[in-house]
């Protein structure tokens, strides 16, 4: 408790873990701080249920929108730390990505509507050596959805939960693994993908084997694009004109390799969905943006659905703001902890701290610096809420 209070009440970003012991809220010495992380105990199962039971943000139509992504705790110099993996990291320039040893964490959060830096963190799972990332993500999402159902956030008759993913995930395989849940998946695809339409009906009287797939749909070859099922045009203040085009009943060609190598004998499944191509006029710093390709695990999208889906995908980037906050301000990846178990404890303490900031959001005052602009009502960022948390902390009951 004292470590979490110190994390929330200390001034400025967390640079080192040991400095948190100097905060007035931390009444023990620095040795107890490390002892708590190295040998303490957290009831993570109860904590997950508690997070699922808190009020959750919802989209404009009332549905829950979840985002899932992996964030890395890089530990390149920790040669004695166990269960490190090579983590993909981006450099400052194009083509400068690197693979650096560290601990990757899969994080699930509920998204709000509109432009915001707030998300509701619900779960975090560290990926270990030998883990199938997609299978682990499917298990994690399944457990999160079941906890939300148990907490009463979803019941029969409600709109399906929308899960938004970036290009690092095999969204079609995730849709197959989660097909029994009341969820829809929306994921970004690489621009070099090739999908297929269903085969055309055979002419009457024709004999022989029915084709397994229909015409190709190459993302990079517009000559393979038939007339779209839906096209919408929207004017945005940030990206100019946004044109979304949708084609239905497209599926990838699966083969008995990699993830499908152990699939039972017989034909591999056909996982059909809707492809959406989003083209905008400009991006910040990029006057000639490339189109974004999305795959939705359902069909029959109306024009309103197409706009809702690509706008929900843009909201996924709010999770990046949360990652930047917990890393740069709350110091998630600052400690030089040796064991992955200690890293897990610290990760959950940071999630608890972020959740307290979210709950304190309507109570906080805007303690802005002289050079900062005043925030609009209800638009305080997590960093500004934390700036005044010490004043709120003294007014709340403390654990015995």
């Amino acid at each position: 408790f004292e470590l979490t209070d110190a994390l929330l009440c200390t001034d400025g970003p967390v640079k080192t873990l040991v400095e948190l012991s100097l905060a007035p809220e931390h009444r023990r010495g620095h040795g107890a701080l490390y002892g708590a992380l190295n040998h303490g105990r957290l009831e993570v199962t109860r904590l997950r249920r508690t997070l699922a039971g808190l009020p959750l943000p919802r989209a404009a139509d009332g549905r829950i929108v979840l985002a899932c992504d992996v964030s890395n705790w890089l530990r390149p110099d920790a040669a004695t730390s166990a269960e490190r993996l090579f983590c993909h990291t981006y450099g400052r320039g194009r083509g400068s990505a690197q693979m650096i040893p560290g601990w990757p964490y899969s994080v699930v959060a509920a998204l709000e509507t509109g432009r915001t830096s707030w998300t509701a963190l619900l779960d975090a799972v560290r990926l270990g050596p030998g883990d199938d990332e997609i299978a682990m993500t499917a298990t994690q999402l399944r457990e999160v959805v079941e906890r939300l159902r148990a907490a009463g956030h979803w019941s029969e008759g409600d709109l399906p939960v929308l899960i938004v993913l970036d290009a690092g995930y095999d969204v079609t395989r995730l849709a197959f693994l989660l097909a029994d849940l009341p969820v829809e998946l929306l994921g970004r695809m690489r621009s070099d993908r090739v999908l297929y339409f269903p085969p055309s009906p055979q002419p009457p009287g024709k004999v022989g084997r029915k084709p397994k797939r229909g015409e190709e749909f190459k993302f990079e070859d517009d000559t393979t694009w038939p007339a779209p099922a839906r096209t919408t045009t929207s004017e945005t203040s940030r990206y100019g004109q946004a044109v979304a085009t949708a084609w239905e009943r497209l599926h990838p060609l699966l083969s008995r390799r990699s993830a499908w190598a152990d699939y039972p004998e017989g034909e591999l499944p056909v996982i059909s969905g809707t492809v959406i191509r989003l083209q905008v006029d400009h991006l910040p710093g990029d006057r000639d943006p490339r189109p974004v390709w999305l795959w939705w695990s359902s069909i029959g999208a109306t024009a309103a659905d197409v706009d809702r889906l690509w706008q929900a995908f843009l909201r996924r980037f709010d999770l990046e703001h949360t990652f930047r906050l917990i890393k740069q301000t709350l110091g998630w990846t600052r400690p030089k902890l040796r064991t992955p178990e200690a890293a897990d404890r610290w990760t959950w303490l940071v999630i608890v701290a972020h959740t307290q900031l979210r709950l304190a959001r309507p109570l906080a005052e805007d303690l802005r610096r002289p050079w900062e602009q005043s925030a609009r009502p209800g638009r305080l960022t997590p960093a500004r809420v934390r700036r005044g948390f010490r004043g709120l902390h003294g007014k709340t009951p403390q654990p015995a």
Side-chain angles (χ1 to χ4, degrees), residues 8 43 67 111 123 125 200 214 225-226 236 251 357 372 381:
L8 288 168
E43 296 186 33
L111 302 181
D123 194 33
V125 173
S200 302
W225 305 350
T236 67
H251 65 272
L357 291 178
E372 294 176 340
T381 64

Side-chain angles (χ1 to χ4, degrees), residues 325-360:
L325 172 84
I326 63 177
K327 286 184 175 181
Q328 298 181 2
T329 303
L330 299 183
W332 171 39
T333 58
R334 289 287 184 175
K336 305 300 182 183
L337 302 175
R338 174 172 296 182
T339 65
E341 294 77 15
D344 291 345
R345 295 186 191 100
W346 174 245
T347 298
W348 276 104
L349 289 181
V350 172
I351 291 176
V352 168
H354 183 271
T355 302
Q356 292 191 57
L357 291 178
R358 183 168 65 89
L359 296 177

